[in-house]
Amino acid sequence: MKEIEQKLNGTIKRLTNKTFKFDDRIKEGWFSAVYFLKTKEMAEEKLPNNHVTMQFFQKSSNAVLCGTDEAIALVHTFAEQPETLEIHSLKDGDKISPYETVLTISGSYQQFGFLEGIIDGILARRTSVATNVYNVVKAASSSGKRKPIIFMGDRDDHYTQQAGDGYAAFIGGSTAQATHAMNEWWGKHGMGTMPHAMIQMFRGDVIAATEAYHEMFPEDDLVTLVDYNNDVITDSLKVAKAFGDDLKGVRIDTSRTLVDKYFLRNHHLMGTFDPRGVNPELVFALRKALDDDGFSHVNIVVTGGFNEKRIHEFEKLGVPVDMYGVGRSLLQINIGFTGDNVLLNGTREAKEGRMYRPNPLMERVEYCPQEK
């Protein structure tokens, strides 16, 4: 049983290193800024009895917090005598505001201070992705109907980030993701149908490619990619007529540099909108063509350059999209976290402009031994 299942059913409160599988070199300081390592040595030699409280927050925007389980597991795995530390924290998925304290750690600096930068990075990436996904999911629901978001960030960042990004996307509200790795911390399997490469190997024959796919993966919902020949409506109708009720959807991924052949055949429609790529008029025309031919059951999936703003525009116009696939825009890291020492031996002590900001919404975190 995955830890996320245990967490959701209340058996455990937070995910641990059994999920995160940290690099053992963290203990050696391999991923810590050198000045943190020097400060650790100095504290051990010159101020061995110090007791500090380190406070973490972000000042960018209202956000969906993510990464607290990971940060706490990090401390419990690599800090010295972690059972003696006092930790208070919000939870993954909590809504936070600028300058709100999300995590505090109290103990001797030399026990955990060298982990500060790693904690900042964990919270920054996970919260950024979770917030980006949350905003896109919200945009896709702005017309009153919640439409699924497929998280398709596999090609937009280093592959080693997929498990953590997939978890953050799950916290943000996406439950359909492109790779198995994206599902590792929270789900079971990635999902997806066919790439352009599959159709290319059938020399652009969408029917043949779809038939082969359906034969090989009969348990999958049959969703066909229909922009390979840049003739979305023609190919969608061909596939719909060939597969009937078995066809669950068509996916459009037209390049932003192309104008679909539908518009080239219907010049009278041009002149009042940008006809390139996956545009509202193309989706409206596709929906009408499918409905007119008796294929109203076929869903329309759109991918290619979608972000929060573009989805809002589609939803405001009432474009008949049933599912959005989003990638690159969800991985933008635009929320940074800061860790500050704000208490020293029980008294307030912080750099100018920073102060201790207790947050009554945080809960005391019990020590949990970690697997290594």
Side-chain angles (χ1 to χ4, degrees), residues 298-310:
V298 176
N299 289 329
I300 298 176
V301 182
V302 296
T303 57
F306 279 88
N307 55 26
E308 178 188 356
K309 179 181 178 183
R310 194 171 172 208

Side-chain angles (χ1 to χ4, degrees), residues 5-18:
E5 296 175 50
Q6 298 175 56
K7 181 178 176 180
L8 292 175
N9 68 27
T11 306
I12 61 174
K13 287 191 174 182
R14 292 182 181 269
L15 305 179
T16 73
N17 193 33
K18 183 178 180 181

Side-chain angles (χ1 to χ4, degrees), residues 89-212:
S89 178
L90 295 179
K91 296 179 180 178
D92 289 350
D94 283 347
K95 306 293 175 50
I96 59 172
S97 56
Y99 297 97
E100 181 177 2
T101 302
V102 304
L103 171 69
T104 59
I105 308 170
S106 299
S108 296
Y109 181 87
Q110 58 268 32
Q111 289 181 267
F112 68 93
F114 71 102
L115 299 171
E116 176 186 334
I118 303 176
I119 295 170
D120 285 336
I122 288 171
L123 294 174
R125 186 175 187 100
R126 303 292 180 248
T127 300
S128 291
V129 174
T131 302
N132 293 338
V133 172
Y134 173 81
N135 289 335
V136 162
V137 169
K138 187 176 179 181
S141 305
S142 58
S143 64
K145 177 183 178 183
R146 180 165 183 172
K147 299 177 180 179
I149 297 294
I150 309 173
F151 180 50
M152 303 176 70
D154 55 298
R155 68 188 60 195
D156 299 304
D157 207 338
H158 197 275
Y159 73 94
T160 56
Q161 300 298 322
Q162 288 186 20
D165 288 343
Y167 170 72
F170 167 70
I171 293 297
S174 170
T175 55
Q177 304 187 9
T179 74
H180 297 320
M182 290 174 181
N183 291 260
E184 180 182 355
W185 292 2
W186 70 270
K188 296 180 180 178
H189 300 290
M191 66 162 290
T193 53
M194 59 179 67
H196 294 101
M198 183 184 296
I199 301 172
Q200 182 263 353
M201 288 187 288
F202 286 90
R203 296 189 177 279
D205 188 334
V206 181
I207 299 295
T210 304
E211 187 172 29

Side-chain angles (χ1 to χ4, degrees), residues 21-288:
K21 302 178 177 66
F22 296 120
D23 190 317
D24 289 338
R25 292 174 296 174
I26 292 173
K27 182 70 173 179
E28 305 164 15
W30 189 249
F31 300 96
S32 296
V34 170
Y35 61 16
F36 291 139
L37 303 179
K38 291 180 176 178
T39 304
K40 179 179 185 294
E41 289 185 35
M42 188 174 293
E44 289 171 337
E45 180 67 25
K46 302 292 185 180
L47 297 164
N49 297 319
N50 73 86
H51 186 279
V52 302
T53 292
M54 189 177 292
Q55 170 180 278
F56 293 85
F57 71 97
Q58 60 85 31
K59 52 187 175 182
S60 302
S61 61
N62 292 327
V64 177
L65 179 63
C66 189
T68 62
D69 283 10
E70 192 175 354
I72 291 164
L74 178 90
V75 174
H76 283 170
T77 304
F78 298 109
E80 296 179 9
Q81 296 182 301
E83 69 278 4
T84 67
L85 297 174
E86 183 177 330
I87 300 176
H88 289 81
S89 178
L90 295 179
K91 296 179 180 178
D92 289 350
D94 283 347
K95 306 293 175 50
I96 59 172
S97 56
Y99 297 97
E100 181 177 2
T101 302
V102 304
L103 171 69
T104 59
I105 308 170
S106 299
S108 296
Y109 181 87
Q110 58 268 32
Q111 289 181 267
F112 68 93
F114 71 102
L115 299 171
E116 176 186 334
I118 303 176
I119 295 170
D120 285 336
I122 288 171
L123 294 174
R125 186 175 187 100
R126 303 292 180 248
T127 300
S128 291
V129 174
T131 302
N132 293 338
V133 172
Y134 173 81
N135 289 335
V136 162
V137 169
K138 187 176 179 181
S141 305
S142 58
S143 64
K145 177 183 178 183
R146 180 165 183 172
K147 299 177 180 179
I149 297 294
I150 309 173
F151 180 50
M152 303 176 70
D154 55 298
R155 68 188 60 195
D156 299 304
D157 207 338
H158 197 275
Y159 73 94
T160 56
Q161 300 298 322
Q162 288 186 20
D165 288 343
Y167 170 72
F170 167 70
I171 293 297
S174 170
T175 55
Q177 304 187 9
T179 74
H180 297 320
M182 290 174 181
N183 291 260
E184 180 182 355
W185 292 2
W186 70 270
K188 296 180 180 178
H189 300 290
M191 66 162 290
T193 53
M194 59 179 67
H196 294 101
M198 183 184 296
I199 301 172
Q200 182 263 353
M201 288 187 288
F202 286 90
R203 296 189 177 279
D205 188 334
V206 181
I207 299 295
T210 304
E211 187 172 29
Y213 182 92
H214 195 37
E215 181 181 334
M216 291 287 295
F217 306 102
E219 301 303 316
D220 283 7
D221 284 345
L222 186 60
V223 179
T224 300
L225 183 61
V226 292
D227 66 277
Y228 184 88
N229 298 305
N230 196 35
D231 200 354
V232 161
I233 294 175
T234 299
D235 279 348
S236 293
L237 291 176
K238 283 182 180 178
V239 175
K241 290 171 183 176
F243 294 92
D245 290 341
D246 286 342
L247 183 67
K248 303 304 180 185
V250 292
R251 177 165 75 93
I252 316 175
D253 190 48
T254 306
S255 168
R256 291 286 288 173
T257 63
L258 293 178
V259 176
D260 189 272
K261 291 174 184 176
Y262 169 77
F263 295 118
L264 302 182
R265 292 191 297 268
N266 294 275
H267 294 282
H268 64 284
L269 299 175
M270 305 276 275
T272 59
F273 64 94
D274 184 348
R276 297 172 298 171
V278 182
N279 62 79
E281 294 303 322
L282 180 60
V283 181
F284 277 121
L286 173 59
R287 181 74 274 162
K288 183 176 186 306

